[in-house]
């Protein structure tokens, strides 16, 4: 008879005196590597598409006497992120043409520029280069998660098609700029994937970080709350116990967004300070009335080409949302897209920027991805080549020719 207590065997020391990874850590790393191997074809397709777009942009930029790095790292809002990363908050610039407009850098959420600031101290290659590098890494991370979502809900073929369509959006060039959209999309996509796999604490934490990235990052928190509510309803119907992690995840999810809004209120001495900062930029929420008036203006008058493309993209997004509803994609994805569209279309001003505001709403592309995955090869090739041609042309036009802010 054995009377001794069982004793666990300590991990063997590796060369240099370090211990071997714990089994759970090793298991997580193995799962991550396996997931990355599955997503590798989608990542390669996306990288090829966006690299081609960057070649088109670079070629025309050099022809026009512009530097591609300056365009990607300092154009429009990227310059504001550069200043926040380099000097911190505190920049105010009055408008030269409208006395009611005051540009205040408190309008820009902190996660991306602060990440650039920290990384630039670790990797001394310059703030602009770091800003572009962080955006590119975030974009690849977002594509990884987008593929996993498409493959989990439908098939690997749909996952690759979803990634391809995301990389061929007319304004996809922004995915490789020093903007916040790549970082927010990465956090949102992984948070949504965590919701689909019921990893609630991960989902809530990533949603909180997304809320520190952009004003519409609150859409990720809405997705987590919707996912938790749906999980609660299903568990109650099945007579299963409530998962306490889900409620903690839902409570964590909006903290990032509310935290920054409250911090701006403290900085300005007004609880509504953030919204007043946005209003001084000319940005306010009017439930889409200004967007409707601008649509009327485009129909009855003439304006820049970018405005018409923006109008077409907004109309397409509305149609795609309706298709997502009829296709019954998961409620969390619908809530995410619905809030993004409410904020993007319902906000007044900056009509040409609405496609950028809607770009993180990648689940809207699911119906098109399913159709592309099921199409005949010849039909699929014609569609992809057509989309690629317009995406490369329009991205170059936006950054080198169009006189409008992104």
């Amino acid at each position: 008879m054995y009377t001794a207590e069982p004793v666990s065997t300590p991990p063997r020391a590796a060369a240099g005196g370090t211990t071997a990874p714990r089994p759970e850590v090793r298991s997580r790393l193995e799962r991550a590597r396996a997931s990355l191997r599955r997503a590798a074809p989608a990542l390669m397709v996306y990288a090829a598409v966006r690299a081609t777009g960057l070649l088109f942009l670079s070629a025309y930029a050099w022809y026009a006497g512009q530097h591609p790095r300056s365009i990607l790292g300092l154009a429009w809002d990227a310059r504001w992120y550069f200043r926040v990363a380099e000097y911190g908050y505190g920049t105010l610039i009055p408008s030269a043409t409208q006395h009611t407009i005051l540009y205040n850098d408190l309008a820009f959420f902190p996660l991306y520029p602060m990440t650039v600031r920290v990384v630039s101290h670790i990797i001394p290659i310059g703030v602009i280069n770091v800003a572009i590098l962080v955006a590119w890494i975030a974009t690849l991370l977002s594509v990884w998660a987008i593929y996993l979502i498409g493959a989990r809900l439908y098939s690997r073929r749909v996952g690759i098609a979803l990634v391809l369509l995301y990389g061929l959006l007319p304004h996809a060039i922004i995915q490789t700029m020093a903007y916040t959209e790549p970082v927010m999309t990465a956090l949102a996509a992984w948070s949504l994937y965590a919701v689909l796999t019921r990893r609630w604490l991960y989902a809530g934490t990533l949603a909180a970080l997304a809320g520190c990235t952009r004003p519409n990052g609150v859409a990720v928190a809405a997705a987590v709350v919707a996912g938790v509510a749906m999980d609660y309803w299903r568990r109650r119907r099945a007579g299963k116990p409530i998962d306490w992690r889900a409620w903690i995840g839902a409570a964590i999810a909006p903290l990032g967004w509310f935290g920054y809004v409250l911090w701006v209120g403290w900085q300005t001495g007004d609880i509504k300070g953030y919204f007043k900062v946005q209003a001084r930029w000319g940005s306010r929420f009017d439930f889409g009335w200004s967007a409707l008036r601008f649509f009327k203006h485009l129909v009855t008058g003439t304006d820049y080409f970018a405005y018409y493309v923006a109008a077409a993209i907004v109309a397409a997004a509305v149609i795609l949302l309706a298709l997502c509803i009829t296709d019954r994609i998961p409620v969390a994805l619908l809530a995410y897209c619905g809030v993004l569209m409410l904020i993007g279309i319902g906000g007044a001003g900056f009509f040409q920027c609405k496609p950028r505001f809607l770009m993180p709403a990648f689940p809207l592309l699911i119906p098109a991805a399913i159709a592309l995955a099921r199409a005949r090869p010849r039909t699929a090739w014609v569609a992809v080549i057509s989309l690629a041609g317009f995406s490369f042309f329009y991205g170059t036009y936006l950054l080198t020719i169009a006189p409008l802010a992104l």
Side-chain angles (χ1 to χ4, degrees):
M1 179 182 294
Y2 293 100
T3 58
E5 292 291 331
V7 178
S8 59
T9 304
R12 290 183 299 176
T18 59
T19 58
R22 291 179 298 175
E24 60 270 21
V25 174
R26 188 163 56 245
S27 177
R28 289 176 184 174
L29 290 175
E30 289 171 354
R31 288 198 301 268
R33 283 196 291 264
S35 171
L36 184 57
R37 283 195 298 268
R38 291 194 302 271
L43 288 166
M44 289 188 290
V45 167
Y46 178 84
V49 165
R50 291 308 337 138
T52 306
L54 287 174
L55 285 175
F56 272 76
L57 171 68
S58 299
Y60 190 84
W62 286 116
Y63 168 77
Q66 304 177 58
H67 197 293
R69 191 195 69 158
S70 297
I71 295 174
L72 295 173
L74 289 174
W76 302 110
D77 286 357
R79 187 176 294 275
W80 284 92
Y81 295 122
F82 167 79
R83 291 190 63 86
V84 174
E86 184 77 7
Y87 308 110
Y89 286 99
T91 299
L92 291 87
I93 302 177
S95 171
T97 57
Q98 303 179 60
H99 71 277
T100 59
I101 300 296
L102 177 66
Y103 302 116
N104 188 333
D105 60 7
L106 288 175
F108 298 95
F109 278 56
L111 184 63
Y112 173 61
M114 291 297 106
T115 300
V116 171
R117 183 175 188 148
V118 171
V119 175
S120 64
H121 288 297
I122 301 172
I123 307 175
I125 59 175
V127 174
I128 298 175
N129 293 328
V130 169
I132 296 173
L133 178 64
V134 169
W136 287 6
I137 293 173
T139 293
L140 292 176
L141 289 173
S142 67
V143 169
W144 183 2
I146 289 170
Y147 164 79
L148 292 177
I149 290 172
R152 180 178 181 85
L153 294 178
Y154 302 98
S155 66
R156 293 187 65 185
R157 192 177 180 90
V158 172
I160 293 174
L162 185 60
V163 165
L164 181 59
L165 291 175
Y166 178 71
L168 291 178
L169 289 171
H171 46 290
I173 191 67
I174 297 171
Q175 296 165 11
T176 49
M177 292 182 65
Y179 266 50
T180 52
E181 277 76 14
V183 177
M184 179 197 152
T185 306
L187 294 168
W190 281 105
S191 179
L192 292 174
Y193 183 68
V195 169
L196 294 177
T197 55
R198 292 178 174 80
R199 299 171 184 175
W200 301 112
L201 297 181
Y202 286 119
T205 302
L206 291 168
L209 291 173
C212 295
T213 308
R214 286 193 52 75
N216 55 2
V218 71
V220 190
V224 173
V225 171
V228 169
M230 181 58 63
D231 182 72
Y232 168 77
W233 180 73
R234 287 174 177 168
R235 284 177 174 273
R236 187 171 182 180
R237 286 191 62 186
K240 295 181 179 179
I242 304 303
D243 187 351
W244 59 267
R245 297 179 187 83
W247 295 105
I248 294 177
I252 293 172
L255 293 182
W257 189 87
F258 280 112
Y260 182 69
V261 170
L262 291 175
W263 182 80
V264 174
W266 179 70
Q267 289 288 313
T268 58
D270 186 342
I271 192 66
K272 299 179 180 178
Y274 174 77
F275 303 101
K276 292 183 178 180
V277 167
Q278 286 283 8
R280 295 297 299 272
W281 270 79
S283 179
R284 65 188 188 282
F285 189 80
D286 66 355
F287 297 95
W289 285 111
S290 63
L292 288 174
R293 287 195 297 269
F294 203 86
F295 265 100
K296 179 182 177 182
H297 159 71
L298 292 177
V299 172
T300 58
T302 57
D303 218 310
Y304 290 108
F305 173 64
Y307 284 130
Y308 289 95
V309 175
I313 291 171
V314 169
V318 173
I319 295 171
L320 287 171
L321 179 63
L323 292 175
C324 287
I325 294 172
T326 58
D327 286 351
R328 296 182 179 180
I329 71 171
V331 170
L333 303 187
L334 285 176
Y336 171 67
C337 293
V339 174
L340 281 177
M341 291 190 63
L342 179 66
I343 296 173
I345 299 176
F350 302 102
F351 186 86
Q352 75 281 3
C353 298
K354 292 189 183 299
R356 173 167 65 87
F357 301 156
L358 296 176
M359 190 175 66
F362 63 89
L364 292 177
L365 300 171
I366 287 177
I370 294 173
L372 182 62
R374 294 175 179 174
R376 298 177 184 177
R378 184 179 301 176
T379 303
W381 275 109
V382 170
V384 169
I385 292 172
S386 301
L387 289 172
F390 185 75
S391 178
F392 301 156
F393 156 76
Y394 188 65
T396 302
Y397 165 80
L398 276 180
L399 296 186
T400 59
I401 300 174
L404 302 174
L406 293 178

